[in-house]
Every structure is written in C-alpha cells, then in structure tokens.
Amino acid sequence: MNMMSLPAIVGISFGVAIVMTFSKKSREQSGLKRLLNFVIGFVAMLAVLIAVNFGIYYSNQP
C-alpha cells in the first residue's frame, strides 16, 4: 500500500472541514462557532490522516 501525498491529505482534511461546517446541525450556530468548528475539523482530520500515513509507512518497512 502506498502512502498518501501531502496535498491529498490537506485536501481531504479541507473537504471534511467544509462538510462539517455547513452541515445541517451547524446552520443555526453563529459565524464564530462555525469558524471554530471548521478549524477543529480540519486539524482533527489532518492529525488522523497523518497518523494513518505514518502507520502505512512503518508497516511497509522490512
């Protein structure tokens, strides 16, 4: 299995953060709260995908 590229990781994280920000649950929230949700979603998904990437890297080592 190949590792994901950094632009792919950032793009997926950005997409997840956008979906999380404009989901049905956060439409009633204020702009600051939605911005905070965007940042938290982006950072959390980025951390998860980087962890998965390192797991793939170390599983491919002999």
Side-chain angles (χ1 to χ4, degrees):
M1 180 178 241
N2 292 331
M3 291 180 23
M4 294 181 280
S5 66
L6 186 60
I9 291 173
V10 171
I12 293 169
S13 298
F14 190 67
V16 166
I18 288 174
V19 168
M20 195 173 114
T21 301
F22 294 110
S23 70
K24 199 173 202 177
K25 285 176 94 173
S26 35
R27 285 188 188 154
E28 297 85 29
Q29 296 175 347
S30 67
L32 183 62
K33 184 114 177 171
R34 287 171 71 176
L35 179 65
L36 185 64
N37 281 344
F38 178 81
V39 172
I40 289 172
F42 179 77
V43 171
M45 186 50 96
L46 191 66
V48 166
L49 288 177
I50 287 176
V52 167
N53 222 20
F54 278 115
I56 291 170
Y57 174 75
Y58 286 118
S59 71
N60 287 337
Q61 297 299 315

